[in-house]
Amino acid sequence: MSEVGVDRVKRIRLWSTTCAVTAVAALLAGCGGSGGSTAPDSTVDVTPSAGAPAGRSAAPASDRAAVAEKVKSAVEAQLSLDEGRFGSGSNSPCATASAKMFTRQCAAAAKGTNADASFALAQVDGHEGFAALRSVAREIQNSAAAYQRLGCAANPSKAATRHACLEPAAVLAQGFPDLRDGANLGLAGK
């Protein structure tokens, strides 16, 4: 795997770890300790606002959770089809270490990954949140466009062009798992 691909994997792992630690910290902060009283500044006010009826404060959160679950299920179903067809990570024809990176096989995988990114964006259109999924999907779309614009599938002979193909190909190879992670983070409101 090229340095670009390795750096991307490291960034994704760091980002995932950071998100997990943040979620655990938020849960622990909301627990209020172990049986003892909490300090006044560590309490969480769960009183509904003056303008909201008493039973409605939980409804938006449950609506968002239902939307997030629906998006995750739809995206997951689509990804499973295409990931099985094209592969992902080191099994993708777009993996930077793959002999197929500069072929029509990677171009087909790029087209499929791009279509799934567009599908994911359509699923979250009009809904709040999903920042991680939106970001990943747009990065995949930009990478698919760059891969095509550079003519990477035509096995370019110029070293500079071949080098420029590495980054978009690495993003595309990791596209399905990244979209899946983005959909999962949507459940956490990210």
Side-chain angles (χ1 to χ4, degrees), residues 55-64:
R56 291 193 64 208
S57 63
S62 65
D63 289 347
R64 284 191 301 268

Side-chain angles (χ1 to χ4, degrees), residues 9-102:
V9 170
K10 286 179 182 176
R11 284 193 323 252
I12 291 168
R13 286 184 182 152
L14 177 63
W15 180 62
S16 297
T17 303
T18 303
C19 290
V21 169
T22 303
V24 170
L27 285 172
L28 291 175
C31 289
S34 58
S37 65
T38 59
D41 61 308
S42 68
T43 60
V44 177
D45 184 12
V46 292
T47 309
S49 66
R56 291 193 64 208
S57 63
S62 65
D63 289 347
R64 284 191 301 268
V67 167
E69 186 59 45
K70 182 179 175 186
V71 167
K72 180 189 175 302
S73 295
V75 170
E76 186 69 38
Q78 185 65 36
L79 293 176
S80 294
L81 292 172
D82 287 339
E83 189 173 23
R85 188 169 146 207
F86 297 114
S88 65
S90 62
N91 293 322
S92 169
C94 296
T96 56
S98 173
K100 298 174 185 174
M101 189 186 108
F102 295 108

Side-chain angles (χ1 to χ4, degrees), residues 27-186:
L27 285 172
L28 291 175
C31 289
S34 58
S37 65
T38 59
D41 61 308
S42 68
T43 60
V44 177
D45 184 12
V46 292
T47 309
S49 66
R56 291 193 64 208
S57 63
S62 65
D63 289 347
R64 284 191 301 268
V67 167
E69 186 59 45
K70 182 179 175 186
V71 167
K72 180 189 175 302
S73 295
V75 170
E76 186 69 38
Q78 185 65 36
L79 293 176
S80 294
L81 292 172
D82 287 339
E83 189 173 23
R85 188 169 146 207
F86 297 114
S88 65
S90 62
N91 293 322
S92 169
C94 296
T96 56
S98 173
K100 298 174 185 174
M101 189 186 108
F102 295 108
T103 68
R104 284 192 234 169
Q105 288 174 309
C106 179
K111 186 175 180 180
T113 309
N114 187 37
D116 285 355
S118 296
F119 177 81
L121 288 172
Q123 296 302 303
V124 299
D125 188 37
H127 298 292
E128 289 183 28
F130 302 101
L133 183 57
R134 290 178 207 276
S135 175
V136 166
R138 287 184 188 119
E139 184 179 17
I140 289 168
Q141 289 180 322
N142 291 337
S143 294
Y147 184 87
Q148 183 177 4
R149 183 182 69 253
L150 292 166
C152 301
N155 197 13
S157 59
K158 290 184 179 179
T161 304
R162 292 177 75 83
H163 183 73
C165 290
L166 293 175
E167 185 173 350
V171 170
L172 294 166
Q174 193 60 32
F176 296 123
D178 287 353
L179 286 169
R180 186 173 287 109
D181 289 347
N184 287 332
L185 287 169

